[in-house]
Amino acid sequence: MKPEVLKLLTAIVGKDNIYTSLEDLYCYTYDASFVKADIKKDLAGVAVYPGSTAEVAQILKLANMEKIPVVPRGAGSNVSGGSISIGDCIVLVLKRMNRILELDRKNLIAIVEPGVITGQLQSEVERVGLFYPPDPASLAFSTMGGNVAECAGGPRGVKYGVTRDYVIGLEVVLPTGEIINTGGRTIKNVTGYDMTKLFTGSEGTLGVITKIIVKLIPLPDAKSTMMAVFPEIDQACETVSEIIAGGLVPCSLELLDNIYIRNIEEYAKVGLPTEAGAVLLIEVDGDSEVLAKQIGQIEQICQRQGAVQIRIAKTKAEAEELWRARRSAFAAVSRVRPTIIGEDATVPRSSIPAAVRRIQEIAAKYNIIIAILGHAGDGNLHATILTDERDREEMRRVEQAIEEIFAATVELGGSLSGEHGIGRAKSKFITLQIGEVGLEVQHRIKLALDPNNILNPGVMFGV
């Protein structure tokens, strides 16, 4: 990075909010994905921590003039390689902008800065009897800005949807340093193109989000949690389809296969049946007077589909113990092999049984371990490849398997990503789903907003 640029950046954010040492910059060569930057060529030139929208605008205006790549970053919990540095770039870390600016109970909205921790927002909102449903697994440390940029999901997506369904307005700094506001505080808003939806899920390629307006809903009166155990995973998958077809919409409907079950139990000792082919973790919420009826109907469906054990949590502590099993999932399987590649291909809910069979067939074909966990209620399957990136021959087979999983997903009418985003990890596969014309249209949008391609180059489109 040129000394004069570093001097100007220091003047913008202050000397305590700029980092240039090798030790500091190394932190930005990786995120929570398996994608790693090449230290020799992709070390950032500087990391800056702006404290306001005005500072973000000045940084981007300077970067655009100098044609310096900028990588926006929150907590680095991205799992598709979308927040890692590229050579001599500016890493723009938004964690200092971490204020909840407003909780408006009359209009059921919250206004936050991008560095607010998702779980913190949820806690503050629930204190006043309201509810912000999106619940990514990383909610204890992921930031709202990152959630919006990736359109994060989570277990509650089956009933409540994903981040996109709650964002109604944004303040965004464009790559040129200009500031725009999209949407607003109203629930209805059809003035012009839906720019709020365009920036939500844009993965830091079109602008830097500096303020977020989300809608809230009343906090559900009560919830009830159960676990259903099945001898075979096919039975569990068919049960998911039957529950939805029966007009029942749990707030969470999670699938764990035998690989996950065995490793979670060894790791967390939560009482999972290690001989089971699969378990479903199911939670319903709403009016306390109807929860027992809903759970009873779901229990009957599970029994008809061959469940050999059904456990309904009688207390909040028992429910928390069941969810502790789910939250332990990735930590548990990380003990199997040193490298975890967690895909999040999503299929129509009726195609879940077929998708699981295809994943298992692909794992056998390439002689690799693929554990299956999923937000099964919305068709979002996390095919988790357990491997060792140091084994080049095995990684070759892994790459072939990933390509086949994506092809099968699209063939079944699905999507390459339900909540993790495309990032750098999946950019070469994007035309499988959107086609060459679709890719060209997205390139045109990128060029219109970012003519010098400074924002997160290489993310989503590979260029």
Side-chain angles (χ1 to χ4, degrees), residues 70 88 104 120-121 142 156 192 226 248 267-268 281-282 302 337 346 352 374 379 397 419 426 434 455 458:
V70 177
D88 207 30
D104 183 344
Q120 176 195 355
L121 174 64
S142 66
R156 291 197 287 246
M226 67 180 287
L248 298 162
Y267 173 78
L281 291 178
I282 306 166
C302 291
R337 301 297 300 279
T346 303
I352 291 172
R397 286 183 277 121
E419 58 186 13
K426 303 176 192 174
I434 68 173
L455 268 185

mmCIF file of all heavy atoms in Angstrom, residues 70 88 104 120-121 142 156 192 226 248 267-268 281-282 302 337 346 352 374 379 397 419 426 434 455 458:
data_model
loop_
_atom_site.group_PDB
_atom_site.id
_atom_site.type_symbol
_atom_site.label_atom_id
_atom_site.label_comp_id
_atom_site.label_asym_id
_atom_site.label_seq_id
_atom_site.Cartn_x
_atom_site.Cartn_y
_atom_site.Cartn_z
ATOM 1 N N VAL A 70 -11.411 -3.227 -2.094
ATOM 2 C CA VAL A 70 -11.899 -3.107 -0.720
ATOM 3 C C VAL A 70 -12.689 -4.371 -0.380
ATOM 4 O O VAL A 70 -13.598 -4.754 -1.119
ATOM 5 C CB VAL A 70 -12.796 -1.864 -0.547
ATOM 6 C CG1 VAL A 70 -13.356 -1.807 0.881
ATOM 7 C CG2 VAL A 70 -12.027 -0.594 -0.875
ATOM 8 N N ASP A 88 -2.917 -6.604 -1.441
ATOM 9 C CA ASP A 88 -2.757 -5.165 -1.216
ATOM 10 C C ASP A 88 -4.089 -4.415 -1.152
ATOM 11 O O ASP A 88 -4.181 -3.254 -1.559
ATOM 12 C CB ASP A 88 -1.875 -4.551 -2.312
ATOM 13 C CG ASP A 88 -1.150 -3.291 -1.806
ATOM 14 O OD1 ASP A 88 -0.853 -3.219 -0.596
ATOM 15 O OD2 ASP A 88 -0.908 -2.384 -2.622
ATOM 16 N N ASP A 104 -38.357 0.789 17.984
ATOM 17 C CA ASP A 104 -39.626 1.496 17.850
ATOM 18 C C ASP A 104 -40.759 0.500 18.029
ATOM 19 O O ASP A 104 -41.128 -0.226 17.097
ATOM 20 C CB ASP A 104 -39.681 2.169 16.475
ATOM 21 C CG ASP A 104 -40.934 3.007 16.257
ATOM 22 O OD1 ASP A 104 -41.903 2.849 17.032
ATOM 23 O OD2 ASP A 104 -40.949 3.795 15.304
ATOM 24 N N GLN A 120 -27.244 -10.080 20.253
ATOM 25 C CA GLN A 120 -27.472 -8.906 21.105
ATOM 26 C C GLN A 120 -28.769 -8.217 20.713
ATOM 27 O O GLN A 120 -29.578 -7.833 21.573
ATOM 28 C CB GLN A 120 -26.303 -7.930 20.981
ATOM 29 C CG GLN A 120 -26.495 -6.625 21.755
ATOM 30 C CD GLN A 120 -25.507 -5.537 21.343
ATOM 31 O OE1 GLN A 120 -24.607 -5.772 20.538
ATOM 32 N NE2 GLN A 120 -25.681 -4.355 21.882
ATOM 33 N N LEU A 121 -28.998 -8.065 19.403
ATOM 34 C CA LEU A 121 -30.241 -7.454 18.950
ATOM 35 C C LEU A 121 -31.436 -8.287 19.392
ATOM 36 O O LEU A 121 -32.429 -7.745 19.899
ATOM 37 C CB LEU A 121 -30.234 -7.304 17.432
ATOM 38 C CG LEU A 121 -31.565 -6.810 16.827
ATOM 39 C CD1 LEU A 121 -31.896 -5.409 17.313
ATOM 40 C CD2 LEU A 121 -31.534 -6.879 15.309
ATOM 41 N N SER A 142 -21.823 -13.307 15.049
ATOM 42 C CA SER A 142 -21.958 -12.711 13.720
ATOM 43 C C SER A 142 -22.634 -11.349 13.823
ATOM 44 O O SER A 142 -23.399 -11.082 14.749
ATOM 45 C CB SER A 142 -22.761 -13.624 12.790
ATOM 46 O OG SER A 142 -24.101 -13.742 13.220
ATOM 47 N N ARG A 156 -34.952 -21.323 12.235
ATOM 48 C CA ARG A 156 -36.321 -20.814 12.240
ATOM 49 C C ARG A 156 -36.818 -20.393 10.864
ATOM 50 O O ARG A 156 -37.952 -19.919 10.709
ATOM 51 C CB ARG A 156 -36.440 -19.627 13.215
ATOM 52 C CG ARG A 156 -36.313 -20.042 14.670
ATOM 53 C CD ARG A 156 -36.835 -18.989 15.623
ATOM 54 N NE ARG A 156 -35.978 -17.838 15.724
ATOM 55 C CZ ARG A 156 -35.304 -17.477 16.825
ATOM 56 N NH1 ARG A 156 -35.382 -18.233 17.914
ATOM 57 N NH2 ARG A 156 -34.568 -16.397 16.852
ATOM 58 N N GLY A 192 -40.281 2.712 -7.038
ATOM 59 C CA GLY A 192 -39.094 2.365 -7.821
ATOM 60 C C GLY A 192 -38.671 0.913 -7.652
ATOM 61 O O GLY A 192 -39.388 0.069 -7.105
ATOM 62 N N MET A 226 -39.503 -31.066 20.617
ATOM 63 C CA MET A 226 -39.505 -32.526 20.660
ATOM 64 C C MET A 226 -38.392 -33.096 19.788
ATOM 65 O O MET A 226 -37.875 -32.420 18.888
ATOM 66 C CB MET A 226 -40.850 -33.086 20.192
ATOM 67 C CG MET A 226 -41.163 -32.846 18.731
ATOM 68 S SD MET A 226 -42.769 -33.524 18.219
ATOM 69 C CE MET A 226 -42.412 -35.279 18.207
ATOM 70 N N LEU A 248 -48.900 -28.224 8.811
ATOM 71 C CA LEU A 248 -48.227 -27.855 10.054
ATOM 72 C C LEU A 248 -46.900 -27.178 9.716
ATOM 73 O O LEU A 248 -46.118 -27.709 8.912
ATOM 74 C CB LEU A 248 -47.982 -29.090 10.913
ATOM 75 C CG LEU A 248 -49.256 -29.824 11.352
ATOM 76 C CD1 LEU A 248 -48.928 -31.241 11.806
ATOM 77 C CD2 LEU A 248 -49.954 -29.057 12.464
ATOM 78 N N TYR A 267 -19.219 -36.201 21.823
ATOM 79 C CA TYR A 267 -18.654 -34.888 22.154
ATOM 80 C C TYR A 267 -19.401 -34.211 23.305
ATOM 81 O O TYR A 267 -18.785 -33.680 24.236
ATOM 82 C CB TYR A 267 -18.721 -34.001 20.899
ATOM 83 C CG TYR A 267 -18.325 -32.561 21.093
ATOM 84 C CD1 TYR A 267 -16.992 -32.185 21.186
ATOM 85 C CD2 TYR A 267 -19.288 -31.563 21.136
ATOM 86 C CE1 TYR A 267 -16.625 -30.854 21.329
ATOM 87 C CE2 TYR A 267 -18.938 -30.228 21.287
ATOM 88 C CZ TYR A 267 -17.604 -29.878 21.380
ATOM 89 O OH TYR A 267 -17.259 -28.555 21.530
ATOM 90 N N ALA A 268 -20.742 -34.224 23.257
ATOM 91 C CA ALA A 268 -21.525 -33.407 24.179
ATOM 92 C C ALA A 268 -22.299 -34.193 25.227
ATOM 93 O O ALA A 268 -22.786 -33.609 26.195
ATOM 94 C CB ALA A 268 -22.501 -32.529 23.390
ATOM 95 N N LEU A 281 -35.255 -32.775 15.140
ATOM 96 C CA LEU A 281 -35.509 -31.859 16.247
ATOM 97 C C LEU A 281 -36.574 -30.881 15.765
ATOM 98 O O LEU A 281 -36.381 -30.200 14.743
ATOM 99 C CB LEU A 281 -34.245 -31.101 16.642
ATOM 100 C CG LEU A 281 -33.139 -31.925 17.296
ATOM 101 C CD1 LEU A 281 -31.931 -31.035 17.570
ATOM 102 C CD2 LEU A 281 -33.629 -32.553 18.587
ATOM 103 N N ILE A 282 -37.680 -30.829 16.480
ATOM 104 C CA ILE A 282 -38.844 -30.073 16.018
ATOM 105 C C ILE A 282 -39.287 -29.120 17.120
ATOM 106 O O ILE A 282 -39.411 -29.519 18.281
ATOM 107 C CB ILE A 282 -40.001 -31.027 15.657
ATOM 108 C CG1 ILE A 282 -39.530 -32.088 14.654
ATOM 109 C CG2 ILE A 282 -41.189 -30.244 15.104
ATOM 110 C CD1 ILE A 282 -40.481 -33.254 14.493
ATOM 111 N N CYS A 302 -45.043 -38.571 12.984
ATOM 112 C CA CYS A 302 -43.758 -39.235 13.204
ATOM 113 C C CYS A 302 -43.954 -40.727 13.466
ATOM 114 O O CYS A 302 -43.210 -41.575 12.948
ATOM 115 C CB CYS A 302 -43.020 -38.588 14.375
ATOM 116 S SG CYS A 302 -42.434 -36.909 14.048
ATOM 117 N N ARG A 337 -12.258 -35.383 10.948
ATOM 118 C CA ARG A 337 -11.195 -35.054 10.005
ATOM 119 C C ARG A 337 -10.851 -33.576 10.193
ATOM 120 O O ARG A 337 -11.684 -32.793 10.633
ATOM 121 C CB ARG A 337 -11.626 -35.309 8.550
ATOM 122 C CG ARG A 337 -12.029 -36.745 8.235
ATOM 123 C CD ARG A 337 -10.898 -37.756 8.404
ATOM 124 N NE ARG A 337 -9.755 -37.492 7.551
ATOM 125 C CZ ARG A 337 -9.672 -37.836 6.265
ATOM 126 N NH1 ARG A 337 -10.686 -38.437 5.671
ATOM 127 N NH2 ARG A 337 -8.576 -37.583 5.580
ATOM 128 N N THR A 346 -29.927 -26.227 -1.337
ATOM 129 C CA THR A 346 -31.314 -26.220 -0.888
ATOM 130 C C THR A 346 -32.216 -26.731 -2.001
ATOM 131 O O THR A 346 -32.062 -26.349 -3.156
ATOM 132 C CB THR A 346 -31.735 -24.791 -0.489
ATOM 133 O OG1 THR A 346 -30.835 -24.326 0.526
ATOM 134 C CG2 THR A 346 -33.150 -24.757 0.040
ATOM 135 N N ILE A 352 -36.464 -33.494 -0.579
ATOM 136 C CA ILE A 352 -35.466 -33.797 0.445
ATOM 137 C C ILE A 352 -35.066 -35.274 0.442
ATOM 138 O O ILE A 352 -33.869 -35.601 0.450
ATOM 139 C CB ILE A 352 -35.957 -33.364 1.841
ATOM 140 C CG1 ILE A 352 -36.002 -31.842 1.928
ATOM 141 C CG2 ILE A 352 -35.046 -33.910 2.938
ATOM 142 C CD1 ILE A 352 -36.647 -31.316 3.192
ATOM 143 N N GLY A 374 -29.498 -30.693 8.398
ATOM 144 C CA GLY A 374 -30.252 -29.750 7.594
ATOM 145 C C GLY A 374 -31.343 -29.019 8.327
ATOM 146 O O GLY A 374 -31.909 -29.522 9.293
ATOM 147 N N GLY A 379 -35.957 -27.221 3.318
ATOM 148 C CA GLY A 379 -35.197 -27.864 2.241
ATOM 149 C C GLY A 379 -33.721 -27.549 2.220
ATOM 150 O O GLY A 379 -33.006 -27.938 1.289
ATOM 151 N N ARG A 397 -11.033 -35.855 -5.251
ATOM 152 C CA ARG A 397 -12.317 -36.562 -5.210
ATOM 153 C C ARG A 397 -13.400 -35.695 -4.564
ATOM 154 O O ARG A 397 -14.559 -35.706 -4.975
ATOM 155 C CB ARG A 397 -12.167 -37.878 -4.444
ATOM 156 C CG ARG A 397 -11.407 -38.943 -5.247
ATOM 157 C CD ARG A 397 -11.336 -40.268 -4.514
ATOM 158 N NE ARG A 397 -10.242 -40.301 -3.536
ATOM 159 C CZ ARG A 397 -10.392 -40.505 -2.241
ATOM 160 N NH1 ARG A 397 -11.597 -40.674 -1.722
ATOM 161 N NH2 ARG A 397 -9.342 -40.531 -1.436
ATOM 162 N N GLU A 419 -28.369 -20.082 2.397
ATOM 163 C CA GLU A 419 -28.111 -19.071 3.426
ATOM 164 C C GLU A 419 -26.644 -18.684 3.567
ATOM 165 O O GLU A 419 -26.350 -17.657 4.180
ATOM 166 C CB GLU A 419 -28.632 -19.564 4.782
ATOM 167 C CG GLU A 419 -28.017 -20.886 5.246
ATOM 168 C CD GLU A 419 -28.647 -21.428 6.518
ATOM 169 O OE1 GLU A 419 -29.715 -20.921 6.915
ATOM 170 O OE2 GLU A 419 -28.073 -22.352 7.122
ATOM 171 N N LYS A 426 -17.993 -20.879 -4.258
ATOM 172 C CA LYS A 426 -18.920 -21.469 -5.222
ATOM 173 C C LYS A 426 -19.048 -20.665 -6.507
ATOM 174 O O LYS A 426 -19.908 -20.965 -7.336
ATOM 175 C CB LYS A 426 -20.314 -21.590 -4.591
ATOM 176 C CG LYS A 426 -20.371 -22.386 -3.311
ATOM 177 C CD LYS A 426 -21.781 -22.352 -2.733
ATOM 178 C CE LYS A 426 -21.776 -22.886 -1.317
ATOM 179 N NZ LYS A 426 -23.105 -22.721 -0.677
ATOM 180 N N ILE A 434 -28.056 -20.032 -12.571
ATOM 181 C CA ILE A 434 -28.626 -18.824 -13.176
ATOM 182 C C ILE A 434 -28.359 -18.721 -14.678
ATOM 183 O O ILE A 434 -28.950 -17.866 -15.348
ATOM 184 C CB ILE A 434 -28.125 -17.549 -12.471
ATOM 185 C CG1 ILE A 434 -26.628 -17.326 -12.717
ATOM 186 C CG2 ILE A 434 -28.412 -17.609 -10.986
ATOM 187 C CD1 ILE A 434 -26.126 -15.989 -12.173
ATOM 188 N N LEU A 455 -15.064 -3.314 -5.115
ATOM 189 C CA LEU A 455 -15.695 -3.963 -3.958
ATOM 190 C C LEU A 455 -15.732 -5.483 -4.101
ATOM 191 O O LEU A 455 -16.401 -6.024 -4.985
ATOM 192 C CB LEU A 455 -17.105 -3.424 -3.757
ATOM 193 C CG LEU A 455 -17.279 -2.233 -2.826
ATOM 194 C CD1 LEU A 455 -18.752 -1.906 -2.640
ATOM 195 C CD2 LEU A 455 -16.620 -2.473 -1.467
ATOM 196 N N GLY A 458 -13.962 -10.848 -7.264
ATOM 197 C CA GLY A 458 -13.790 -12.294 -7.170
ATOM 198 C C GLY A 458 -14.890 -12.988 -6.411
ATOM 199 O O GLY A 458 -15.042 -14.206 -6.530
#
